[in-house]
mmCIF file of all heavy atoms in Angstrom:
data_model
loop_
_atom_site.group_PDB
_atom_site.id
_atom_site.type_symbol
_atom_site.label_atom_id
_atom_site.label_comp_id
_atom_site.label_asym_id
_atom_site.label_seq_id
_atom_site.Cartn_x
_atom_site.Cartn_y
_atom_site.Cartn_z
ATOM 1 N N VAL A 1 -33.492 4.505 21.264
ATOM 2 C CA VAL A 1 -33.631 5.796 21.884
ATOM 3 C C VAL A 1 -35.066 5.957 22.336
ATOM 4 O O VAL A 1 -35.996 5.896 21.495
ATOM 5 C CB VAL A 1 -33.239 6.946 20.920
ATOM 6 C CG1 VAL A 1 -33.465 8.307 21.585
ATOM 7 C CG2 VAL A 1 -31.778 6.818 20.521
ATOM 8 N N VAL A 2 -35.275 6.160 23.631
ATOM 9 C CA VAL A 2 -36.608 6.402 24.157
ATOM 10 C C VAL A 2 -36.806 7.873 24.271
ATOM 11 O O VAL A 2 -36.141 8.555 25.055
ATOM 12 C CB VAL A 2 -36.786 5.719 25.545
ATOM 13 C CG1 VAL A 2 -38.213 5.922 26.067
ATOM 14 C CG2 VAL A 2 -36.477 4.224 25.463
ATOM 15 N N ASP A 3 -37.730 8.425 23.503
ATOM 16 C CA ASP A 3 -38.006 9.869 23.511
ATOM 17 C C ASP A 3 -39.190 10.096 24.423
ATOM 18 O O ASP A 3 -40.335 9.751 24.138
ATOM 19 C CB ASP A 3 -38.291 10.374 22.104
ATOM 20 C CG ASP A 3 -38.539 11.878 22.043
ATOM 21 O OD1 ASP A 3 -38.459 12.506 23.100
ATOM 22 O OD2 ASP A 3 -38.798 12.381 20.950
ATOM 23 N N ASN A 4 -38.926 10.742 25.559
ATOM 24 C CA ASN A 4 -39.944 11.001 26.572
ATOM 25 C C ASN A 4 -40.801 12.232 26.231
ATOM 26 O O ASN A 4 -40.845 13.213 26.964
ATOM 27 C CB ASN A 4 -39.307 11.189 27.964
ATOM 28 C CG ASN A 4 -39.343 9.951 28.812
ATOM 29 O OD1 ASN A 4 -40.325 9.196 28.796
ATOM 30 N ND2 ASN A 4 -38.283 9.711 29.571
ATOM 31 N N ALA A 5 -41.509 12.133 25.077
ATOM 32 C CA ALA A 5 -42.404 13.189 24.655
ATOM 33 C C ALA A 5 -41.717 14.552 24.566
ATOM 34 O O ALA A 5 -42.284 15.587 25.004
ATOM 35 C CB ALA A 5 -43.628 13.274 25.610
ATOM 36 N N SER A 6 -40.506 14.584 24.010
ATOM 37 C CA SER A 6 -39.769 15.822 23.827
ATOM 38 C C SER A 6 -40.499 16.749 22.843
ATOM 39 O O SER A 6 -41.116 16.310 21.893
ATOM 40 C CB SER A 6 -38.360 15.558 23.319
ATOM 41 O OG SER A 6 -37.644 14.723 24.208
ATOM 42 N N ARG A 7 -40.358 18.009 23.108
ATOM 43 C CA ARG A 7 -40.951 19.033 22.223
ATOM 44 C C ARG A 7 -39.922 20.070 21.797
ATOM 45 O O ARG A 7 -40.251 21.220 21.541
ATOM 46 C CB ARG A 7 -42.114 19.732 22.947
ATOM 47 C CG ARG A 7 -43.281 18.816 23.317
ATOM 48 C CD ARG A 7 -44.039 18.327 22.095
ATOM 49 N NE ARG A 7 -45.226 17.561 22.480
ATOM 50 C CZ ARG A 7 -45.225 16.231 22.642
ATOM 51 N NH1 ARG A 7 -44.055 15.551 22.452
ATOM 52 N NH2 ARG A 7 -46.332 15.573 22.971
ATOM 53 N N ASP A 8 -38.675 19.617 21.723
ATOM 54 C CA ASP A 8 -37.571 20.539 21.408
ATOM 55 C C ASP A 8 -36.908 20.266 20.083
ATOM 56 O O ASP A 8 -35.823 20.790 19.797
ATOM 57 C CB ASP A 8 -36.510 20.511 22.515
ATOM 58 C CG ASP A 8 -35.809 19.157 22.607
ATOM 59 O OD1 ASP A 8 -36.389 18.175 22.103
ATOM 60 O OD2 ASP A 8 -34.710 19.107 23.175
ATOM 61 N N GLY A 9 -37.553 19.447 19.243
ATOM 62 C CA GLY A 9 -36.934 19.080 17.981
ATOM 63 C C GLY A 9 -36.115 17.835 18.036
ATOM 64 O O GLY A 9 -35.398 17.524 17.052
ATOM 65 N N THR A 10 -36.147 17.089 19.118
ATOM 66 C CA THR A 10 -35.394 15.849 19.235
ATOM 67 C C THR A 10 -35.802 14.842 18.173
ATOM 68 O O THR A 10 -34.957 14.155 17.612
ATOM 69 C CB THR A 10 -35.657 15.209 20.649
ATOM 70 O OG1 THR A 10 -35.079 16.065 21.638
ATOM 71 C CG2 THR A 10 -35.014 13.848 20.728
ATOM 72 N N SER A 11 -37.119 14.812 17.827
ATOM 73 C CA SER A 11 -37.529 13.895 16.777
ATOM 74 C C SER A 11 -36.887 14.198 15.427
ATOM 75 O O SER A 11 -36.584 13.271 14.664
ATOM 76 C CB SER A 11 -39.050 13.922 16.652
ATOM 77 O OG SER A 11 -39.504 15.252 16.339
ATOM 78 N N ASP A 12 -36.635 15.456 15.128
ATOM 79 C CA ASP A 12 -35.941 15.809 13.882
ATOM 80 C C ASP A 12 -34.521 15.316 13.883
ATOM 81 O O ASP A 12 -34.013 14.823 12.869
ATOM 82 C CB ASP A 12 -35.968 17.343 13.679
ATOM 83 C CG ASP A 12 -37.407 17.876 13.513
ATOM 84 O OD1 ASP A 12 -38.279 17.124 13.036
ATOM 85 O OD2 ASP A 12 -37.617 19.056 13.852
ATOM 86 N N LEU A 13 -33.839 15.445 15.027
ATOM 87 C CA LEU A 13 -32.471 14.975 15.144
ATOM 88 C C LEU A 13 -32.389 13.476 14.942
ATOM 89 O O LEU A 13 -31.489 12.956 14.295
ATOM 90 C CB LEU A 13 -31.907 15.357 16.490
ATOM 91 C CG LEU A 13 -30.439 14.964 16.810
ATOM 92 C CD1 LEU A 13 -29.843 16.013 17.749
ATOM 93 C CD2 LEU A 13 -30.363 13.591 17.457
ATOM 94 N N LEU A 14 -33.404 12.749 15.423
ATOM 95 C CA LEU A 14 -33.390 11.287 15.328
ATOM 96 C C LEU A 14 -33.792 10.761 13.959
ATOM 97 O O LEU A 14 -33.542 9.575 13.670
ATOM 98 C CB LEU A 14 -34.326 10.711 16.399
ATOM 99 C CG LEU A 14 -33.940 10.902 17.843
ATOM 100 C CD1 LEU A 14 -35.035 10.448 18.770
ATOM 101 C CD2 LEU A 14 -32.634 10.110 18.139
ATOM 102 N N ALA A 15 -34.405 11.608 13.164
ATOM 103 C CA ALA A 15 -34.954 11.128 11.874
ATOM 104 C C ALA A 15 -33.928 10.504 10.976
ATOM 105 O O ALA A 15 -34.191 9.555 10.229
ATOM 106 C CB ALA A 15 -35.644 12.292 11.195
ATOM 107 N N ASP A 16 -32.695 11.002 10.996
ATOM 108 C CA ASP A 16 -31.634 10.514 10.108
ATOM 109 C C ASP A 16 -30.643 9.611 10.768
ATOM 110 O O ASP A 16 -29.562 9.329 10.236
ATOM 111 C CB ASP A 16 -30.917 11.699 9.439
ATOM 112 C CG ASP A 16 -31.839 12.574 8.608
ATOM 113 O OD1 ASP A 16 -32.766 12.013 7.970
ATOM 114 O OD2 ASP A 16 -31.646 13.793 8.596
ATOM 115 N N ARG A 17 -30.948 9.163 12.003
ATOM 116 C CA ARG A 17 -30.026 8.335 12.716
ATOM 117 C C ARG A 17 -30.417 6.844 12.572
ATOM 118 O O ARG A 17 -31.618 6.492 12.595
ATOM 119 C CB ARG A 17 -30.065 8.696 14.224
ATOM 120 C CG ARG A 17 -29.581 10.135 14.496
ATOM 121 C CD ARG A 17 -28.102 10.191 14.556
ATOM 122 N NE ARG A 17 -27.616 11.549 14.813
ATOM 123 C CZ ARG A 17 -26.376 11.836 15.206
ATOM 124 N NH1 ARG A 17 -25.480 10.861 15.329
ATOM 125 N NH2 ARG A 17 -26.013 13.086 15.422
ATOM 126 N N PRO A 18 -29.409 5.951 12.465
ATOM 127 C CA PRO A 18 -29.731 4.506 12.336
ATOM 128 C C PRO A 18 -30.012 3.876 13.700
ATOM 129 O O PRO A 18 -29.317 2.962 14.135
ATOM 130 C CB PRO A 18 -28.450 3.976 11.699
ATOM 131 C CG PRO A 18 -27.391 4.851 12.249
ATOM 132 C CD PRO A 18 -28.003 6.248 12.342
ATOM 133 N N VAL A 19 -31.044 4.373 14.371
ATOM 134 C CA VAL A 19 -31.392 3.846 15.688
ATOM 135 C C VAL A 19 -32.903 3.555 15.693
ATOM 136 O O VAL A 19 -33.661 4.088 14.879
ATOM 137 C CB VAL A 19 -31.065 4.860 16.803
ATOM 138 C CG1 VAL A 19 -29.575 5.134 16.840
ATOM 139 C CG2 VAL A 19 -31.847 6.140 16.617
ATOM 140 N N ASP A 20 -33.312 2.679 16.599
ATOM 141 C CA ASP A 20 -34.716 2.445 16.805
ATOM 142 C C ASP A 20 -35.244 3.490 17.805
ATOM 143 O O ASP A 20 -34.600 3.752 18.815
ATOM 144 C CB ASP A 20 -34.974 1.048 17.383
ATOM 145 C CG ASP A 20 -34.561 -0.033 16.396
ATOM 146 O OD1 ASP A 20 -34.704 0.170 15.203
ATOM 147 O OD2 ASP A 20 -34.105 -1.106 16.871
ATOM 148 N N VAL A 21 -36.338 4.082 17.493
ATOM 149 C CA VAL A 21 -36.897 5.154 18.337
ATOM 150 C C VAL A 21 -38.223 4.694 18.942
ATOM 151 O O VAL A 21 -39.115 4.227 18.251
ATOM 152 C CB VAL A 21 -37.122 6.463 17.521
ATOM 153 C CG1 VAL A 21 -37.711 7.515 18.436
ATOM 154 C CG2 VAL A 21 -35.775 6.928 16.947
ATOM 155 N N LEU A 22 -38.310 4.807 20.246
ATOM 156 C CA LEU A 22 -39.552 4.559 20.950
ATOM 157 C C LEU A 22 -40.033 5.875 21.511
ATOM 158 O O LEU A 22 -39.477 6.415 22.483
ATOM 159 C CB LEU A 22 -39.295 3.548 22.097
ATOM 160 C CG LEU A 22 -40.464 3.295 23.045
ATOM 161 C CD1 LEU A 22 -41.702 2.813 22.288
ATOM 162 C CD2 LEU A 22 -40.060 2.303 24.117
ATOM 163 N N ARG A 23 -41.081 6.422 20.875
ATOM 164 C CA ARG A 23 -41.622 7.706 21.323
ATOM 165 C C ARG A 23 -42.759 7.484 22.287
ATOM 166 O O ARG A 23 -43.742 6.803 21.943
ATOM 167 C CB ARG A 23 -42.071 8.549 20.124
ATOM 168 C CG ARG A 23 -40.930 9.029 19.288
ATOM 169 C CD ARG A 23 -41.406 10.079 18.216
ATOM 170 N NE ARG A 23 -40.276 10.604 17.509
ATOM 171 C CZ ARG A 23 -39.735 10.073 16.420
ATOM 172 N NH1 ARG A 23 -40.264 8.951 15.915
ATOM 173 N NH2 ARG A 23 -38.708 10.614 15.813
ATOM 174 N N LEU A 24 -42.637 7.990 23.470
ATOM 175 C CA LEU A 24 -43.663 7.836 24.506
ATOM 176 C C LEU A 24 -44.632 8.989 24.474
ATOM 177 O O LEU A 24 -44.215 10.135 24.153
ATOM 178 C CB LEU A 24 -43.018 7.718 25.890
ATOM 179 C CG LEU A 24 -42.035 6.548 26.069
ATOM 180 C CD1 LEU A 24 -41.451 6.566 27.450
ATOM 181 C CD2 LEU A 24 -42.711 5.218 25.755
ATOM 182 N N PRO A 25 -45.906 8.761 24.787
ATOM 183 C CA PRO A 25 -46.886 9.830 24.710
ATOM 184 C C PRO A 25 -46.739 10.884 25.819
ATOM 185 O O PRO A 25 -47.265 11.995 25.710
ATOM 186 C CB PRO A 25 -48.233 9.095 24.841
ATOM 187 C CG PRO A 25 -47.909 7.835 25.574
ATOM 188 C CD PRO A 25 -46.524 7.482 25.106
ATOM 189 N N ARG A 26 -46.041 10.502 26.895
ATOM 190 C CA ARG A 26 -45.770 11.463 27.979
ATOM 191 C C ARG A 26 -44.444 11.109 28.615
ATOM 192 O O ARG A 26 -43.906 10.039 28.422
ATOM 193 C CB ARG A 26 -46.883 11.439 29.025
ATOM 194 C CG ARG A 26 -47.135 10.115 29.684
ATOM 195 C CD ARG A 26 -48.358 10.111 30.530
ATOM 196 N NE ARG A 26 -48.643 8.849 31.164
ATOM 197 C CZ ARG A 26 -48.155 8.470 32.359
ATOM 198 N NH1 ARG A 26 -47.402 9.312 33.037
ATOM 199 N NH2 ARG A 26 -48.439 7.286 32.857
ATOM 200 N N ASN A 27 -43.944 12.049 29.415
ATOM 201 C CA ASN A 27 -42.633 11.853 30.043
ATOM 202 C C ASN A 27 -42.761 10.875 31.212
ATOM 203 O O ASN A 27 -43.388 11.173 32.225
ATOM 204 C CB ASN A 27 -42.113 13.226 30.516
ATOM 205 C CG ASN A 27 -40.699 13.078 31.096
ATOM 206 O OD1 ASN A 27 -40.073 12.039 31.050
ATOM 207 N ND2 ASN A 27 -40.198 14.212 31.638
ATOM 208 N N LEU A 28 -42.132 9.706 31.062
ATOM 209 C CA LEU A 28 -42.144 8.685 32.118
ATOM 210 C C LEU A 28 -40.877 8.679 32.934
ATOM 211 O O LEU A 28 -40.653 7.785 33.739
ATOM 212 C CB LEU A 28 -42.376 7.302 31.493
ATOM 213 C CG LEU A 28 -43.672 7.067 30.727
ATOM 214 C CD1 LEU A 28 -43.779 5.642 30.233
ATOM 215 C CD2 LEU A 28 -44.889 7.443 31.593
ATOM 216 N N GLY A 29 -39.992 9.656 32.692
ATOM 217 C CA GLY A 29 -38.742 9.714 33.406
ATOM 218 C C GLY A 29 -37.737 8.678 32.901
ATOM 219 O O GLY A 29 -37.988 7.907 31.968
ATOM 220 N N TYR A 30 -36.549 8.688 33.550
ATOM 221 C CA TYR A 30 -35.533 7.759 33.139
ATOM 222 C C TYR A 30 -35.941 6.299 33.420
ATOM 223 O O TYR A 30 -35.783 5.425 32.570
ATOM 224 C CB TYR A 30 -34.216 8.092 33.834
ATOM 225 C CG TYR A 30 -33.025 7.354 33.294
ATOM 226 C CD1 TYR A 30 -32.530 7.646 32.036
ATOM 227 C CD2 TYR A 30 -32.407 6.328 34.033
ATOM 228 C CE1 TYR A 30 -31.407 6.952 31.530
ATOM 229 C CE2 TYR A 30 -31.307 5.658 33.538
ATOM 230 C CZ TYR A 30 -30.801 5.939 32.279
ATOM 231 O OH TYR A 30 -29.739 5.268 31.776
ATOM 232 N N ALA A 31 -36.430 6.069 34.642
ATOM 233 C CA ALA A 31 -36.836 4.704 35.006
ATOM 234 C C ALA A 31 -37.931 4.209 34.122
ATOM 235 O O ALA A 31 -37.906 3.060 33.639
ATOM 236 C CB ALA A 31 -37.237 4.659 36.482
#
């Protein structure tokens, strides 16, 4: 899961999920 610098609590949702998380410092879009 690539998190495009979300600020809506997405990181909390991902905390308990068995997925690899790549958090980007800014929104790079889908591409």
